[in-house]
Structure formats: structure tokens, C-alpha cells
Amino acid sequence: MERSLTLELVRVTEAAALASASWMGFGKKDEADDAATTAMRKEFEKVPMDGIVVIGEGEMDEAPMLYIGEHLGQGVAPAVDVAVDPLEGTNILSKGTWGAISVIAIADRGNLLHAPDMYMEKIAVGPQAVGKIDIHAPIRDNLKAVANAQGKDISDLVAIVLDRERHQQIIHEIREAGARIRLISDGDVAAAINTAFPDTGVDIMFGSGGAPEGVLAAVALKCLGGEIQGKLLPQNQEELERCIQMGLANPHQVLFMDDLVKGDDAIFAATGVTDGELLKGVRFRGTRATTQSVVMRAKTGTVRFVEGNHRLERKPTL
């Protein structure tokens, strides 16, 4: 892949963030998601690549654009898989709270897991704890392993967990082990990424969330040198058969980094929509707006933070 794609993808996430941020706090999550999706799709038309959506807004009959199987870009090399979440955190944005982002990940064609839209159990850590975690191990053992890897006491660790009823046992075990918890309402892509940045104060992520979000997080952590492990959690026979149709002979197997994103190259880009631990949200000032994005590439390990200052009247996608 050409490294020039990194900034091309930032322009795409910026467009989605700008379009959706104007809906912040209005309680209209569907309208915000539609705005982000439309702006992202239009901006993709300018990107020099031959992309196919493998993780998007749903099947063709469920989504008018950014649907699974849709072709994106100008139809020229490189040929890539594309995973998108135009607005991760629709509930976050509708309430005007913390951590909504616009996200894209790409990898060479055939290298991204075509994750079905179902739950996935996940555990994620940053570079210091790579190789130390085990999704099958007790919570306490994983916390001890991360604490040892980072030279910390367990009491100094912060685990990030989606605030859901299904996670009550995990929350109990984390507290029993003596670690601290940051509960979040939504946004487990951002949560996984935050484990790789010491300034966010997050050391490990536990719990179940969307499988597509697990692949997006895996691309980011591959670029950052971190680790995520996952296990699909099919809830019924239909979901079980869906896993098999997508090439997973054993739907209950542990999915490691190389299962989620193969190869040595991938690119991840995200733009903040509302303020988060890692990225500032969109700021509107009359006819101008500012954005903050992060873009990273696995092949080089380069991570760039990009500040954008936009003249809104010159943004045709808006």
C-alpha cells in the first residue's frame, strides 16, 4: 500500500466527523449516523484505491451505502479490504458525552476477517503486555500478568469495561482483584486503542462487544504493537451458521491478531467527534471547524496526530 493513503484516509474520517458533529446533543442518533455515512461515502470517491467493504453498515439490503461488498475508491491499485464505522458511538453523540469517533481501517485484499455482526468476547492490551494475556485465563491472572509486565501493582491498573448488565461478573472480579475500573457507555474501539497509549490511563480492556469493532481495534493495535484476543459469541443457530459461511470452521475458536488482520501492513485512521481520552472532538467556530485525528501504519509503526482547520463553505460533502 502507498503511504500517501494515510492522509487520504484522514480526509475521509474528517468528513464523517464534521458531518455528524453538528448533530451532537440533539438526541438523534440515526440522523447523525446517516450524516457521517453519507459524508464518508462521498469522500471515499476521491481515494486512489480499489477497496471492498468487508465491515460496514450491514448487508446490501440493510444499508444504502458502505454496505458489505460495496466497492470504494477510484478503482485503481492497491486492492484493499475496508472496514468502516462512520460514527462509533451514536448514543454518545446523541447525548453529547465522551468518546465518539469516526473510524476506517484498511489492509491488503483478503487480510481482514469478515467478522459477522454479533457479539465477540475481547481482551486487549498495549505493547508492554503483549504475549502476557490469555482470554481463557481468570480475570485476576490477566491483571497480575499485565501488572508484572508494566512494573505496577494491581491496585495501580485501570481496566476499561462497557457498562452492561452482562459484564457484572467481570466488574466484580476486577474489583475483587484490587484493580480499578473505568466504565464506559459505548465505544469499545476507542477503549481498546486507549490501552496502547499510556497517557489515557487505561491498561487493559475486558468484556464483550461487537465483532466488527473487534477487527477495527485489531488493526489499530497491530499498528501500535498491542494485542487483542477475541472469541465470537453466536446467540442462536442462525448466527452460528453465519460464522461458518464466513469461513470460520470453529466459531468458538480464539481469534488472535493474525486471525483478525493478516499480513504485515494495515492502516488505521480515526477522527474525534466528541472529546475523548485520546482525541479532541470537533470544534465549530462560525464558518470554520477544527478536528483532531490519529493515523497509523502497521508496516512502519508510525503514528501521526493530525490537526485540521476547515473552512466549512468549501466542504462539498457537508
Side-chain angles (χ1 to χ4, degrees), residues 284-311:
F284 291 105
R285 296 179 177 87
T287 60
R288 290 185 177 271
T290 58
T291 56
Q292 187 178 46
S293 306
V294 63
V295 60
M296 50 190 100
R297 187 179 181 190
K299 187 173 183 178
T300 60
T302 302
V303 179
R304 290 185 173 90
F305 286 87
V306 180
E307 304 281 345
N309 193 315
H310 309 270
R311 293 182 63 172

mmCIF file of all heavy atoms in Angstrom, residues 284-311:
data_model
loop_
_atom_site.group_PDB
_atom_site.id
_atom_site.type_symbol
_atom_site.label_atom_id
_atom_site.label_comp_id
_atom_site.label_asym_id
_atom_site.label_seq_id
_atom_site.Cartn_x
_atom_site.Cartn_y
_atom_site.Cartn_z
ATOM 1 N N PHE A 284 -16.668 23.793 16.363
ATOM 2 C CA PHE A 284 -17.207 24.704 15.357
ATOM 3 C C PHE A 284 -17.028 26.147 15.824
ATOM 4 O O PHE A 284 -17.337 26.493 16.968
ATOM 5 C CB PHE A 284 -18.696 24.421 15.130
ATOM 6 C CG PHE A 284 -18.970 23.110 14.459
ATOM 7 C CD1 PHE A 284 -19.469 22.028 15.188
ATOM 8 C CD2 PHE A 284 -18.734 22.947 13.109
ATOM 9 C CE1 PHE A 284 -19.720 20.820 14.570
ATOM 10 C CE2 PHE A 284 -18.990 21.726 12.484
ATOM 11 C CZ PHE A 284 -19.481 20.665 13.215
ATOM 12 N N ARG A 285 -16.524 26.983 14.899
ATOM 13 C CA ARG A 285 -16.345 28.409 15.180
ATOM 14 C C ARG A 285 -16.793 29.196 13.962
ATOM 15 O O ARG A 285 -15.989 29.476 13.069
ATOM 16 C CB ARG A 285 -14.889 28.717 15.534
ATOM 17 C CG ARG A 285 -14.400 28.044 16.817
ATOM 18 C CD ARG A 285 -12.939 28.386 17.095
ATOM 19 N NE ARG A 285 -12.479 27.793 18.364
ATOM 20 C CZ ARG A 285 -11.984 26.572 18.461
ATOM 21 N NH1 ARG A 285 -11.879 25.809 17.385
ATOM 22 N NH2 ARG A 285 -11.587 26.097 19.634
ATOM 23 N N GLY A 286 -18.078 29.503 13.915
ATOM 24 C CA GLY A 286 -18.615 30.221 12.766
ATOM 25 C C GLY A 286 -18.512 29.383 11.510
ATOM 26 O O GLY A 286 -19.068 28.289 11.418
ATOM 27 N N THR A 287 -17.779 29.894 10.510
ATOM 28 C CA THR A 287 -17.632 29.192 9.241
ATOM 29 C C THR A 287 -16.430 28.254 9.235
ATOM 30 O O THR A 287 -16.084 27.701 8.185
ATOM 31 C CB THR A 287 -17.480 30.200 8.086
ATOM 32 O OG1 THR A 287 -16.311 31.000 8.310
ATOM 33 C CG2 THR A 287 -18.715 31.086 7.988
ATOM 34 N N ARG A 288 -15.809 28.074 10.360
ATOM 35 C CA ARG A 288 -14.645 27.187 10.456
ATOM 36 C C ARG A 288 -14.893 26.097 11.498
ATOM 37 O O ARG A 288 -15.746 26.239 12.377
ATOM 38 C CB ARG A 288 -13.382 27.973 10.820
ATOM 39 C CG ARG A 288 -12.890 28.884 9.711
ATOM 40 C CD ARG A 288 -11.560 29.538 10.089
ATOM 41 N NE ARG A 288 -11.039 30.355 9.016
ATOM 42 C CZ ARG A 288 -10.239 29.913 8.043
ATOM 43 N NH1 ARG A 288 -9.863 28.641 8.036
ATOM 44 N NH2 ARG A 288 -9.801 30.717 7.095
ATOM 45 N N ALA A 289 -14.122 25.034 11.368
ATOM 46 C CA ALA A 289 -14.174 23.955 12.355
ATOM 47 C C ALA A 289 -12.780 23.347 12.474
ATOM 48 O O ALA A 289 -11.997 23.360 11.517
ATOM 49 C CB ALA A 289 -15.180 22.888 11.938
ATOM 50 N N THR A 290 -12.479 22.812 13.635
ATOM 51 C CA THR A 290 -11.201 22.138 13.840
ATOM 52 C C THR A 290 -11.460 20.679 14.199
ATOM 53 O O THR A 290 -12.464 20.345 14.826
ATOM 54 C CB THR A 290 -10.376 22.795 14.960
ATOM 55 O OG1 THR A 290 -11.126 22.779 16.182
ATOM 56 C CG2 THR A 290 -10.020 24.226 14.603
ATOM 57 N N THR A 291 -10.544 19.832 13.745
ATOM 58 C CA THR A 291 -10.627 18.403 14.044
ATOM 59 C C THR A 291 -9.279 17.907 14.533
ATOM 60 O O THR A 291 -8.234 18.507 14.258
ATOM 61 C CB THR A 291 -11.017 17.595 12.785
ATOM 62 O OG1 THR A 291 -10.074 17.872 11.732
ATOM 63 C CG2 THR A 291 -12.413 17.920 12.323
ATOM 64 N N GLN A 292 -9.295 16.794 15.247
ATOM 65 C CA GLN A 292 -8.069 16.103 15.633
ATOM 66 C C GLN A 292 -8.205 14.639 15.255
ATOM 67 O O GLN A 292 -9.209 14.000 15.571
ATOM 68 C CB GLN A 292 -7.785 16.237 17.127
ATOM 69 C CG GLN A 292 -6.423 15.653 17.510
ATOM 70 C CD GLN A 292 -6.094 15.810 18.981
ATOM 71 O OE1 GLN A 292 -6.923 15.535 19.848
ATOM 72 N NE2 GLN A 292 -4.898 16.267 19.273
ATOM 73 N N SER A 293 -7.201 14.135 14.563
ATOM 74 C CA SER A 293 -7.225 12.757 14.069
ATOM 75 C C SER A 293 -5.934 12.048 14.437
ATOM 76 O O SER A 293 -4.914 12.680 14.726
ATOM 77 C CB SER A 293 -7.384 12.741 12.538
ATOM 78 O OG SER A 293 -8.514 13.476 12.121
ATOM 79 N N VAL A 294 -6.002 10.721 14.401
ATOM 80 C CA VAL A 294 -4.804 9.893 14.512
ATOM 81 C C VAL A 294 -4.802 8.937 13.332
ATOM 82 O O VAL A 294 -5.846 8.425 12.932
ATOM 83 C CB VAL A 294 -4.748 9.125 15.851
ATOM 84 C CG1 VAL A 294 -5.905 8.137 15.979
ATOM 85 C CG2 VAL A 294 -3.412 8.414 16.022
ATOM 86 N N VAL A 295 -3.624 8.743 12.739
ATOM 87 C CA VAL A 295 -3.484 7.790 11.635
ATOM 88 C C VAL A 295 -2.204 7.009 11.864
ATOM 89 O O VAL A 295 -1.194 7.563 12.300
ATOM 90 C CB VAL A 295 -3.489 8.501 10.262
ATOM 91 C CG1 VAL A 295 -2.351 9.490 10.130
ATOM 92 C CG2 VAL A 295 -3.466 7.478 9.130
ATOM 93 N N MET A 296 -2.250 5.710 11.605
ATOM 94 C CA MET A 296 -1.111 4.843 11.904
ATOM 95 C C MET A 296 -0.989 3.752 10.861
ATOM 96 O O MET A 296 -1.976 3.366 10.227
ATOM 97 C CB MET A 296 -1.240 4.268 13.311
ATOM 98 C CG MET A 296 -2.583 3.636 13.612
ATOM 99 S SD MET A 296 -2.801 3.225 15.377
ATOM 100 C CE MET A 296 -3.780 4.599 15.942
ATOM 101 N N ARG A 297 0.248 3.268 10.696
ATOM 102 C CA ARG A 297 0.503 2.224 9.709
ATOM 103 C C ARG A 297 1.298 1.105 10.347
ATOM 104 O O ARG A 297 2.312 1.349 11.021
ATOM 105 C CB ARG A 297 1.264 2.798 8.518
ATOM 106 C CG ARG A 297 1.429 1.811 7.370
ATOM 107 C CD ARG A 297 2.158 2.422 6.199
ATOM 108 N NE ARG A 297 2.276 1.458 5.103
ATOM 109 C CZ ARG A 297 3.032 1.645 4.022
ATOM 110 N NH1 ARG A 297 3.711 2.766 3.877
ATOM 111 N NH2 ARG A 297 3.081 0.705 3.086
ATOM 112 N N ALA A 298 0.853 -0.129 10.129
ATOM 113 C CA ALA A 298 1.496 -1.282 10.765
ATOM 114 C C ALA A 298 2.902 -1.522 10.225
ATOM 115 O O ALA A 298 3.814 -1.869 10.976
ATOM 116 C CB ALA A 298 0.636 -2.531 10.564
ATOM 117 N N LYS A 299 3.098 -1.347 8.925
ATOM 118 C CA LYS A 299 4.382 -1.683 8.299
ATOM 119 C C LYS A 299 5.527 -0.872 8.875
ATOM 120 O O LYS A 299 6.630 -1.382 9.068
ATOM 121 C CB LYS A 299 4.297 -1.471 6.785
ATOM 122 C CG LYS A 299 5.522 -1.958 6.024
ATOM 123 C CD LYS A 299 5.290 -1.863 4.520
ATOM 124 C CE LYS A 299 6.478 -2.411 3.743
ATOM 125 N NZ LYS A 299 6.228 -2.350 2.279
ATOM 126 N N THR A 300 5.277 0.391 9.168
ATOM 127 C CA THR A 300 6.333 1.268 9.673
ATOM 128 C C THR A 300 6.222 1.537 11.168
ATOM 129 O O THR A 300 7.191 1.970 11.786
ATOM 130 C CB THR A 300 6.297 2.618 8.942
ATOM 131 O OG1 THR A 300 5.020 3.242 9.173
ATOM 132 C CG2 THR A 300 6.507 2.426 7.446
ATOM 133 N N GLY A 301 5.045 1.295 11.744
ATOM 134 C CA GLY A 301 4.832 1.613 13.147
ATOM 135 C C GLY A 301 4.666 3.094 13.412
ATOM 136 O O GLY A 301 4.644 3.529 14.567
ATOM 137 N N THR A 302 4.537 3.876 12.346
ATOM 138 C CA THR A 302 4.405 5.328 12.501
ATOM 139 C C THR A 302 2.998 5.697 12.965
ATOM 140 O O THR A 302 2.006 5.182 12.450
ATOM 141 C CB THR A 302 4.706 6.047 11.175
ATOM 142 O OG1 THR A 302 6.030 5.707 10.748
ATOM 143 C CG2 THR A 302 4.601 7.553 11.329
ATOM 144 N N VAL A 303 2.936 6.599 13.930
ATOM 145 C CA VAL A 303 1.665 7.121 14.425
ATOM 146 C C VAL A 303 1.711 8.639 14.284
ATOM 147 O O VAL A 303 2.646 9.286 14.770
ATOM 148 C CB VAL A 303 1.431 6.754 15.903
ATOM 149 C CG1 VAL A 303 0.110 7.334 16.391
ATOM 150 C CG2 VAL A 303 1.454 5.243 16.086
ATOM 151 N N ARG A 304 0.732 9.192 13.608
ATOM 152 C CA ARG A 304 0.676 10.647 13.412
ATOM 153 C C ARG A 304 -0.627 11.197 13.971
ATOM 154 O O ARG A 304 -1.699 10.629 13.756
ATOM 155 C CB ARG A 304 0.752 11.012 11.931
ATOM 156 C CG ARG A 304 2.105 10.778 11.288
ATOM 157 C CD ARG A 304 2.102 11.306 9.839
ATOM 158 N NE ARG A 304 3.435 11.241 9.258
ATOM 159 C CZ ARG A 304 3.915 10.210 8.592
ATOM 160 N NH1 ARG A 304 3.155 9.132 8.424
ATOM 161 N NH2 ARG A 304 5.133 10.236 8.088
ATOM 162 N N PHE A 305 -0.530 12.303 14.676
ATOM 163 C CA PHE A 305 -1.706 13.057 15.083
ATOM 164 C C PHE A 305 -1.835 14.248 14.138
ATOM 165 O O PHE A 305 -0.858 14.953 13.884
ATOM 166 C CB PHE A 305 -1.592 13.512 16.534
ATOM 167 C CG PHE A 305 -1.779 12.399 17.524
ATOM 168 C CD1 PHE A 305 -0.697 11.619 17.919
ATOM 169 C CD2 PHE A 305 -3.034 12.105 18.030
ATOM 170 C CE1 PHE A 305 -0.864 10.575 18.819
ATOM 171 C CE2 PHE A 305 -3.217 11.060 18.928
ATOM 172 C CZ PHE A 305 -2.126 10.296 19.318
ATOM 173 N N VAL A 306 -3.032 14.431 13.605
ATOM 174 C CA VAL A 306 -3.263 15.440 12.576
ATOM 175 C C VAL A 306 -4.303 16.431 13.068
ATOM 176 O O VAL A 306 -5.430 16.049 13.410
ATOM 177 C CB VAL A 306 -3.742 14.790 11.260
ATOM 178 C CG1 VAL A 306 -3.969 15.856 10.189
ATOM 179 C CG2 VAL A 306 -2.741 13.740 10.780
ATOM 180 N N GLU A 307 -3.922 17.699 13.095
ATOM 181 C CA GLU A 307 -4.858 18.771 13.440
ATOM 182 C C GLU A 307 -5.383 19.373 12.147
ATOM 183 O O GLU A 307 -4.606 19.740 11.255
ATOM 184 C CB GLU A 307 -4.151 19.860 14.256
ATOM 185 C CG GLU A 307 -3.473 19.365 15.524
ATOM 186 C CD GLU A 307 -4.437 19.140 16.667
ATOM 187 O OE1 GLU A 307 -5.588 19.637 16.569
ATOM 188 O OE2 GLU A 307 -4.050 18.486 17.651
ATOM 189 N N GLY A 308 -6.690 19.473 12.017
ATOM 190 C CA GLY A 308 -7.292 20.044 10.814
ATOM 191 C C GLY A 308 -8.059 21.310 11.123
ATOM 192 O O GLY A 308 -8.762 21.398 12.138
ATOM 193 N N ASN A 309 -7.890 22.306 10.263
ATOM 194 C CA ASN A 309 -8.645 23.557 10.368
ATOM 195 C C ASN A 309 -9.412 23.702 9.066
ATOM 196 O O ASN A 309 -8.812 23.821 7.989
ATOM 197 C CB ASN A 309 -7.692 24.743 10.579
ATOM 198 C CG ASN A 309 -8.436 25.994 11.002
ATOM 199 O OD1 ASN A 309 -9.467 26.317 10.425
ATOM 200 N ND2 ASN A 309 -7.910 26.697 11.989
ATOM 201 N N HIS A 310 -10.726 23.675 9.137
ATOM 202 C CA HIS A 310 -11.558 23.520 7.943
ATOM 203 C C HIS A 310 -12.437 24.747 7.707
ATOM 204 O O HIS A 310 -13.048 25.273 8.652
ATOM 205 C CB HIS A 310 -12.472 22.303 8.096
ATOM 206 C CG HIS A 310 -11.746 21.053 8.497
ATOM 207 N ND1 HIS A 310 -11.228 20.174 7.570
ATOM 208 C CD2 HIS A 310 -11.441 20.540 9.724
ATOM 209 C CE1 HIS A 310 -10.635 19.172 8.197
ATOM 210 N NE2 HIS A 310 -10.759 19.364 9.507
ATOM 211 N N ARG A 311 -12.503 25.182 6.439
ATOM 212 C CA ARG A 311 -13.458 26.213 6.018
ATOM 213 C C ARG A 311 -14.700 25.494 5.509
ATOM 214 O O ARG A 311 -14.694 24.886 4.442
ATOM 215 C CB ARG A 311 -12.837 27.102 4.948
ATOM 216 C CG ARG A 311 -11.674 27.938 5.478
ATOM 217 C CD ARG A 311 -11.100 28.852 4.417
ATOM 218 N NE ARG A 311 -12.085 29.819 3.964
ATOM 219 C CZ ARG A 311 -11.785 30.838 3.135
ATOM 220 N NH1 ARG A 311 -10.562 30.982 2.689
ATOM 221 N NH2 ARG A 311 -12.735 31.691 2.762
#
